[in-house]
């Protein structure tokens, strides 16, 4: 019963390095999301996808890129990491939005530190 | 401009008593509200939700109340248990895509035995 799986769980980068976070879900959900959480703050939406091959910007998209080549996978990329991107990243998925709205199913999070 | 606010960063209650967590919002376009619970080193998990056409939704020990005129909602936990100790996030969204939610900063609930 995997649900939403994120890899890696932890990563330390140097400023300017690049990396990709992988999110995989096995619930056949159409919608997938990337959120970030900073200390003492709520989750903020980075990018989301409403289906395979689609992506859209959320609240804080700058410095990130995403791809959804397969329905079950949603990748978050940092091309040139900055210390401001030190955060915990959560991937989530939900069934097709509509009636009724779907709740979010979250992964366990990926803790990224940029030195 | 924070659209969803949880003004109490922390709350401590005794086991068996009621826990009341509060949330205020400013965007009148929000019409669907959710509560998530988060334990350390885990992802948030959905707890309970309410749509704007209702003023109350109940699920076991958890009840969410919505006051649209005041743009205020609250989560009641009765009775509180030590296992309820966690961070609780309030989230709000438009009805058609609840995944695009705006989250509050969270309230850390501690239930003392």
């Amino acid at each position: 019963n995997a649900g939403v799986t994120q890899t890696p769980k932890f990563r330390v980068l140097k400023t300017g390095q690049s990396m990709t976070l992988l999110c995989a879900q096995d619930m056949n959900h159409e919608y997938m999301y990337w959120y970030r959480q900073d200390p003492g703050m709520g989750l903020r939406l980075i990018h989301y996808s409403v289906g395979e091959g689609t992506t859209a910007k959320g609240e804080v998209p700058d410095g990130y890129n995403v791809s959804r080549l397969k329905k079950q996978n949603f990748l978050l990329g940092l091309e040139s990491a900055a210390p401001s991107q030190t955060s915990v990243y959560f991937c989530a998925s939900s069934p097709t939005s509509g009636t009724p709205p779907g709740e979010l199913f979250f992964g366990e999070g990926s803790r990224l530190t940029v030195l | 401009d924070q659209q969803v606010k949880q003004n109490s960063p922390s709350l401590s209650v005794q086991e068996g008593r009621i826990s009341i967590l509060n949330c205020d919002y400013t965007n009148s376009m929000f019409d669907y509200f959710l509560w998530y619970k988060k334990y350390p080193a885990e992802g948030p998990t959905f707890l309970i939700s309410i749509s704007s056409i209702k003023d109350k939704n109940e699920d076991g020990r958890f009840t969410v109340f919505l006051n649209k005129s005041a743009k205020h909602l609250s989560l009641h936990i009765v009775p509180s248990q030590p296992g309820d100790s966690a961070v609780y996030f309030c989230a709000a969204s438009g009805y058609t895509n609840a995944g695009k939610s705006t989250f509050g900063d969270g309230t850390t609930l501690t239930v003392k035995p």
Side-chain angles (χ1 to χ4, degrees):
Chain A
N1 192 12
V4 178
T5 304
Q6 295 181 226
T7 53
K9 298 285 191 295
F10 302 92
R11 184 74 188 269
V12 179
L13 288 176
K14 294 182 179 179
T15 297
Q17 287 184 319
S18 63
M19 75 158 296
T20 300
L21 296 175
L22 172 63
C23 177
Q25 55 98 0
D26 61 3
M27 296 172 284
N28 201 35
H29 287 168
E30 288 291 336
Y31 285 50
M32 296 188 73
Y33 313 82
W34 277 106
Y35 283 87
R36 62 177 286 176
Q37 185 193 13
D38 299 311
M41 298 181 66
L43 287 80
R44 292 182 293 169
L45 182 63
I46 304 171
H47 286 281
Y48 65 101
S49 168
V50 300
E52 182 178 317
T54 74
T55 63
K57 294 180 179 179
E59 180 186 356
V60 288
D62 293 343
Y64 305 96
N65 57 76
V66 288
S67 64
R68 182 104 181 264
L69 299 180
K70 293 183 179 180
K71 183 178 182 179
Q72 63 268 34
N73 296 336
F74 195 29
L75 279 64
L76 178 71
L78 286 72
E79 290 186 348
S80 180
S84 60
Q85 294 178 303
T86 294
S87 189
V88 180
Y89 292 85
F90 289 100
C91 177
S93 69
S94 67
T96 304
S97 288
T99 306
E103 71 201 51
L104 289 171
F105 296 79
F106 284 91
E108 293 185 340
S110 298
R111 183 175 294 274
L112 175 65
T113 301
V114 182
L115 302 176
Chain B
D1 179 27
Q2 197 167 11
Q3 298 186 64
V4 177
K5 293 183 180 180
Q6 294 177 255
N7 291 317
S8 298
S10 63
L11 175 67
S12 180
V13 300
Q14 209 65 35
E15 181 180 5
R17 306 293 289 268
I18 184 171
S19 296
I20 300 176
L21 293 86
N22 294 304
C23 179
D24 297 294
Y25 63 97
T26 58
N27 189 340
S28 58
M29 298 300 290
F30 290 144
D31 51 19
Y32 196 65
F33 305 91
L34 309 94
W35 286 92
Y36 290 87
K37 176 180 180 180
K38 184 183 180 304
Y39 292 118
E42 294 185 9
T45 55
F46 171 76
L47 189 59
I48 193 169
S49 63
I50 189 168
S51 73
S52 58
I53 61 174
K54 296 185 176 182
D55 55 16
K56 176 183 175 181
N57 189 26
E58 192 171 356
D59 184 2
R61 296 186 296 113
F62 302 91
T63 303
V64 56
F65 296 92
L66 175 63
N67 183 333
K68 279 194 71 177
S69 61
K71 293 190 176 67
H72 176 84
L73 62 154
S74 60
L75 174 67
H76 293 211
I77 306 174
V78 184
S80 301
Q81 300 173 353
D84 296 329
S85 296
V87 179
Y88 289 79
F89 290 102
C90 170
S93 75
Y95 192 77
T96 55
N97 187 347
K100 283 184 62 182
S101 294
T102 300
F103 285 77
D105 289 344
T107 296
T108 300
L109 173 66
T110 302
V111 180
K112 297 179 179 179

